[in-house]
Short mmCIF file of all heavy atoms in Angstrom, two decimals:
data_model
loop_
_atom_site.label_atom_id
_atom_site.label_comp_id
_atom_site.label_asym_id
_atom_site.label_seq_id
_atom_site.Cartn_x
_atom_site.Cartn_y
_atom_site.Cartn_z
N GLU A 1 11.49 6.92 -10.08
CA GLU A 1 11.86 6.41 -8.82
C GLU A 1 10.60 6.17 -7.97
O GLU A 1 9.76 7.07 -7.74
CB GLU A 1 12.84 7.21 -7.92
CG GLU A 1 13.30 6.71 -6.67
CD GLU A 1 14.36 5.71 -6.92
OE1 GLU A 1 14.96 5.56 -8.03
OE2 GLU A 1 14.62 4.89 -5.99
N PRO A 2 10.32 4.87 -7.65
CA PRO A 2 9.03 4.57 -6.91
C PRO A 2 9.04 5.33 -5.51
O PRO A 2 10.06 5.50 -4.90
CB PRO A 2 9.11 3.12 -6.60
CG PRO A 2 10.04 2.58 -7.63
CD PRO A 2 11.09 3.70 -7.80
N PHE A 3 7.93 5.75 -5.07
CA PHE A 3 7.72 6.32 -3.73
C PHE A 3 8.00 5.30 -2.73
O PHE A 3 7.62 4.02 -2.88
CB PHE A 3 6.31 6.86 -3.55
CG PHE A 3 5.99 7.49 -2.23
CD1 PHE A 3 6.36 8.74 -2.06
CD2 PHE A 3 5.40 6.70 -1.28
CE1 PHE A 3 6.04 9.34 -0.80
CE2 PHE A 3 5.08 7.34 -0.02
CZ PHE A 3 5.43 8.54 0.26
N ASP A 4 8.65 5.54 -1.61
CA ASP A 4 9.01 4.53 -0.58
C ASP A 4 8.11 4.84 0.66
O ASP A 4 8.46 5.85 1.37
CB ASP A 4 10.59 4.66 -0.28
CG ASP A 4 11.02 3.59 0.67
OD1 ASP A 4 10.12 2.92 1.26
OD2 ASP A 4 12.16 3.36 0.84
N ILE A 5 7.20 3.93 0.95
CA ILE A 5 6.30 4.17 2.02
C ILE A 5 6.98 4.03 3.42
O ILE A 5 6.41 4.45 4.41
CB ILE A 5 5.05 3.28 1.95
CG1 ILE A 5 5.55 1.79 2.14
CG2 ILE A 5 4.32 3.41 0.58
CD1 ILE A 5 4.30 0.78 2.38
N THR A 6 8.20 3.40 3.46
CA THR A 6 8.86 3.34 4.70
C THR A 6 9.72 4.53 5.05
O THR A 6 10.24 4.67 6.20
CB THR A 6 9.84 2.10 4.68
OG1 THR A 6 10.89 2.40 3.83
CG2 THR A 6 9.04 0.84 4.28
N ARG A 7 9.76 5.52 4.22
CA ARG A 7 10.63 6.67 4.40
C ARG A 7 9.83 7.98 4.40
O ARG A 7 10.29 9.02 4.75
CB ARG A 7 11.68 6.80 3.28
CG ARG A 7 12.56 5.50 3.25
CD ARG A 7 13.67 5.62 2.30
NE ARG A 7 14.80 6.27 2.90
CZ ARG A 7 16.06 6.51 2.35
NH1 ARG A 7 16.18 5.98 1.08
NH2 ARG A 7 16.94 7.16 2.94
N ALA A 8 8.53 8.00 3.98
CA ALA A 8 7.74 9.13 3.96
C ALA A 8 6.28 8.84 4.09
O ALA A 8 5.84 7.61 3.68
CB ALA A 8 7.94 9.97 2.63
N PRO A 9 5.48 9.63 4.72
CA PRO A 9 4.08 9.37 4.91
C PRO A 9 3.29 9.33 3.56
O PRO A 9 3.69 10.11 2.61
CB PRO A 9 3.55 10.52 5.85
CG PRO A 9 4.58 11.61 5.58
CD PRO A 9 5.84 10.95 5.36
N VAL A 10 2.31 8.49 3.48
CA VAL A 10 1.53 8.34 2.26
C VAL A 10 0.43 9.41 2.19
O VAL A 10 -0.21 9.74 3.19
CB VAL A 10 0.85 6.95 2.22
CG1 VAL A 10 -0.07 6.83 1.05
CG2 VAL A 10 1.94 5.85 2.11
N THR A 11 0.40 10.09 1.12
CA THR A 11 -0.76 11.07 0.73
C THR A 11 -1.56 10.56 -0.29
O THR A 11 -1.15 9.90 -1.24
CB THR A 11 -0.20 12.43 0.56
OG1 THR A 11 0.71 12.37 -0.62
CG2 THR A 11 0.61 12.98 1.71
N PHE A 12 -2.79 10.96 -0.29
CA PHE A 12 -3.79 10.49 -1.31
C PHE A 12 -4.08 11.61 -2.29
O PHE A 12 -4.11 12.74 -1.95
CB PHE A 12 -5.01 9.97 -0.65
CG PHE A 12 -4.86 8.77 0.22
CD1 PHE A 12 -4.55 9.00 1.67
CD2 PHE A 12 -4.70 7.50 -0.25
CE1 PHE A 12 -4.33 7.89 2.39
CE2 PHE A 12 -4.49 6.36 0.52
CZ PHE A 12 -4.23 6.59 1.90
N PRO A 13 -4.39 11.18 -3.57
CA PRO A 13 -4.30 9.77 -4.14
C PRO A 13 -2.95 9.25 -4.33
O PRO A 13 -2.01 10.06 -4.32
CB PRO A 13 -5.02 9.95 -5.46
CG PRO A 13 -4.77 11.35 -5.85
CD PRO A 13 -4.80 12.15 -4.54
N VAL A 14 -2.90 7.91 -4.51
CA VAL A 14 -1.53 7.24 -4.55
C VAL A 14 -1.36 6.79 -6.00
O VAL A 14 -2.43 6.35 -6.63
CB VAL A 14 -1.36 6.17 -3.52
CG1 VAL A 14 -1.35 6.74 -2.15
CG2 VAL A 14 -2.28 5.03 -3.71
N ASP A 15 -0.15 6.50 -6.36
CA ASP A 15 0.05 5.82 -7.64
C ASP A 15 0.08 4.28 -7.33
O ASP A 15 0.07 3.81 -6.25
CB ASP A 15 1.40 6.27 -8.36
CG ASP A 15 2.55 6.09 -7.54
OD1 ASP A 15 2.51 5.50 -6.45
OD2 ASP A 15 3.59 6.68 -7.85
N ARG A 16 0.25 3.52 -8.46
CA ARG A 16 0.17 2.04 -8.36
C ARG A 16 1.36 1.48 -7.46
O ARG A 16 1.14 0.60 -6.64
CB ARG A 16 0.23 1.32 -9.65
CG ARG A 16 -0.20 -0.12 -9.62
CD ARG A 16 -0.56 -0.70 -11.03
NE ARG A 16 -1.09 -1.97 -11.01
CZ ARG A 16 -0.45 -3.09 -11.42
NH1 ARG A 16 0.82 -2.94 -11.96
NH2 ARG A 16 -0.96 -4.26 -11.32
N PRO A 17 2.65 1.88 -7.67
CA PRO A 17 3.74 1.37 -6.89
C PRO A 17 3.45 1.62 -5.35
O PRO A 17 3.70 0.67 -4.50
CB PRO A 17 4.96 2.10 -7.33
CG PRO A 17 4.60 2.47 -8.77
CD PRO A 17 3.17 2.70 -8.70
N THR A 18 3.00 2.77 -4.99
CA THR A 18 2.66 3.03 -3.57
C THR A 18 1.52 2.13 -3.08
O THR A 18 1.58 1.58 -1.96
CB THR A 18 2.25 4.53 -3.41
OG1 THR A 18 3.27 5.30 -3.93
CG2 THR A 18 2.01 4.88 -1.93
N ARG A 19 0.53 1.96 -3.91
CA ARG A 19 -0.54 1.08 -3.52
C ARG A 19 -0.15 -0.31 -3.29
O ARG A 19 -0.48 -0.94 -2.32
CB ARG A 19 -1.70 1.19 -4.66
CG ARG A 19 -2.97 0.26 -4.36
CD ARG A 19 -4.01 0.61 -5.31
NE ARG A 19 -3.73 0.24 -6.68
CZ ARG A 19 -3.81 0.96 -7.79
NH1 ARG A 19 -4.21 2.28 -7.64
NH2 ARG A 19 -3.47 0.59 -8.98
N LEU A 20 0.74 -0.86 -4.23
CA LEU A 20 1.14 -2.21 -4.06
C LEU A 20 2.03 -2.45 -2.88
O LEU A 20 2.04 -3.47 -2.25
CB LEU A 20 1.92 -2.65 -5.44
CG LEU A 20 1.07 -2.89 -6.64
CD1 LEU A 20 1.81 -3.07 -7.79
CD2 LEU A 20 0.07 -4.07 -6.42
N GLN A 21 2.87 -1.42 -2.61
CA GLN A 21 3.73 -1.48 -1.39
C GLN A 21 2.97 -1.56 -0.16
O GLN A 21 3.27 -2.41 0.71
CB GLN A 21 4.63 -0.22 -1.35
CG GLN A 21 5.85 -0.27 -2.36
CD GLN A 21 6.65 1.08 -2.12
OE1 GLN A 21 7.16 1.25 -1.08
NE2 GLN A 21 6.56 1.91 -3.06
N THR A 22 1.95 -0.75 -0.13
CA THR A 22 1.00 -0.66 1.07
C THR A 22 0.33 -1.96 1.26
O THR A 22 0.25 -2.48 2.42
CB THR A 22 0.11 0.49 0.99
OG1 THR A 22 0.85 1.71 0.76
CG2 THR A 22 -0.67 0.65 2.34
N LEU A 23 -0.24 -2.52 0.17
CA LEU A 23 -0.91 -3.80 0.32
C LEU A 23 -0.06 -4.87 0.61
O LEU A 23 -0.48 -5.87 1.32
CB LEU A 23 -1.69 -4.07 -1.01
CG LEU A 23 -2.84 -3.15 -1.35
CD1 LEU A 23 -3.38 -3.46 -2.74
CD2 LEU A 23 -3.93 -3.26 -0.41
N ALA A 24 1.24 -4.95 0.13
CA ALA A 24 2.08 -6.10 0.28
C ALA A 24 2.49 -6.25 1.75
O ALA A 24 2.67 -7.37 2.23
CB ALA A 24 3.42 -5.83 -0.51
N ARG A 25 2.53 -5.14 2.56
CA ARG A 25 2.74 -5.43 4.04
C ARG A 25 1.46 -5.13 4.77
O ARG A 25 1.59 -4.98 6.07
CB ARG A 25 3.92 -4.50 4.44
CG ARG A 25 3.61 -3.03 4.48
CD ARG A 25 4.82 -2.39 5.12
NE ARG A 25 4.62 -0.94 5.54
CZ ARG A 25 5.43 -0.22 6.33
NH1 ARG A 25 6.60 -0.76 6.69
NH2 ARG A 25 5.15 0.98 6.67
N GLY A 26 0.31 -5.17 4.14
CA GLY A 26 -0.91 -5.07 4.89
C GLY A 26 -1.27 -6.34 5.64
O GLY A 26 -0.75 -7.42 5.35
N ASP A 27 -2.16 -6.20 6.55
CA ASP A 27 -2.60 -7.32 7.39
C ASP A 27 -3.36 -8.42 6.54
O ASP A 27 -4.30 -8.03 5.79
CB ASP A 27 -3.52 -6.85 8.50
CG ASP A 27 -3.97 -8.02 9.41
OD1 ASP A 27 -3.08 -8.42 10.14
OD2 ASP A 27 -5.05 -8.51 9.29
N GLU A 28 -2.93 -9.63 6.63
CA GLU A 28 -3.48 -10.68 5.80
C GLU A 28 -5.02 -10.79 6.04
O GLU A 28 -5.82 -10.90 5.14
CB GLU A 28 -2.76 -12.00 6.04
CG GLU A 28 -3.32 -13.14 5.30
CD GLU A 28 -2.57 -14.44 5.55
OE1 GLU A 28 -1.31 -14.39 5.59
OE2 GLU A 28 -3.23 -15.48 5.70
N GLY A 29 -5.41 -10.89 7.30
CA GLY A 29 -6.84 -11.03 7.66
C GLY A 29 -7.67 -9.89 7.13
O GLY A 29 -8.80 -10.12 6.63
N TYR A 30 -7.14 -8.79 7.17
CA TYR A 30 -7.90 -7.50 6.76
C TYR A 30 -8.07 -7.59 5.25
O TYR A 30 -9.19 -7.40 4.71
CB TYR A 30 -7.12 -6.24 7.11
CG TYR A 30 -7.69 -4.95 6.63
CD1 TYR A 30 -8.69 -4.25 7.29
CD2 TYR A 30 -7.22 -4.33 5.42
CE1 TYR A 30 -9.15 -3.00 6.82
CE2 TYR A 30 -7.65 -3.16 4.95
CZ TYR A 30 -8.62 -2.50 5.64
OH TYR A 30 -9.09 -1.30 5.22
N LEU A 31 -7.07 -7.89 4.45
CA LEU A 31 -7.10 -8.01 3.01
C LEU A 31 -7.97 -9.17 2.53
O LEU A 31 -8.57 -9.02 1.51
CB LEU A 31 -5.75 -8.03 2.42
CG LEU A 31 -4.75 -6.82 2.55
CD1 LEU A 31 -3.42 -7.09 2.06
CD2 LEU A 31 -5.44 -5.54 2.04
N LEU A 32 -7.91 -10.25 3.31
CA LEU A 32 -8.72 -11.38 3.03
C LEU A 32 -10.18 -11.02 3.11
O LEU A 32 -11.03 -11.43 2.29
CB LEU A 32 -8.34 -12.56 3.99
CG LEU A 32 -9.14 -13.94 3.80
CD1 LEU A 32 -8.87 -14.46 2.44
CD2 LEU A 32 -8.78 -14.78 4.90
N ALA A 33 -10.60 -10.35 4.17
CA ALA A 33 -12.05 -9.92 4.37
C ALA A 33 -12.43 -9.02 3.21
O ALA A 33 -13.52 -9.19 2.64
CB ALA A 33 -12.17 -9.24 5.66
N LEU A 34 -11.60 -8.07 2.80
CA LEU A 34 -11.92 -7.18 1.76
C LEU A 34 -12.00 -7.93 0.42
O LEU A 34 -12.90 -7.68 -0.41
CB LEU A 34 -10.88 -6.00 1.64
CG LEU A 34 -11.05 -4.94 2.77
CD1 LEU A 34 -9.88 -3.92 2.57
CD2 LEU A 34 -12.36 -4.15 2.64
N GLY A 35 -11.09 -8.78 0.19
CA GLY A 35 -11.07 -9.61 -1.05
C GLY A 35 -12.25 -10.44 -1.13
O GLY A 35 -12.93 -10.53 -2.19
N TYR A 36 -12.66 -11.04 0.01
CA TYR A 36 -13.91 -11.76 0.06
C TYR A 36 -15.13 -10.92 -0.31
O TYR A 36 -16.01 -11.38 -0.97
CB TYR A 36 -13.98 -12.44 1.38
CG TYR A 36 -15.29 -13.20 1.64
CD1 TYR A 36 -15.63 -14.26 0.74
CD2 TYR A 36 -15.96 -13.14 2.90
CE1 TYR A 36 -16.89 -14.91 1.02
CE2 TYR A 36 -17.05 -13.77 3.13
CZ TYR A 36 -17.57 -14.81 2.20
OH TYR A 36 -18.69 -15.53 2.47
#
């Protein structure tokens, strides 16, 4: 069962599903700058 970031606080390190969830609702401008 994937970890649900909307129901519990994230602790590190994280697995890939948690990482993808967090990035999916991350700020576009912030991710754009990091990707650049």
Side-chain angles (χ1 to χ4, degrees):
E1 186 74 18
F3 181 83
D4 188 344
I5 66 170
T6 69
R7 307 185 78 175
V10 174
T11 58
F12 297 95
V14 301
D15 57 10
R16 192 165 188 253
T18 304
R19 181 169 66 230
L20 289 172
Q21 286 179 67
T22 307
L23 294 175
R25 71 174 195 169
D27 182 76
E28 180 179 314
Y30 175 87
L31 294 179
L32 180 64
L34 286 175
Y36 177 46

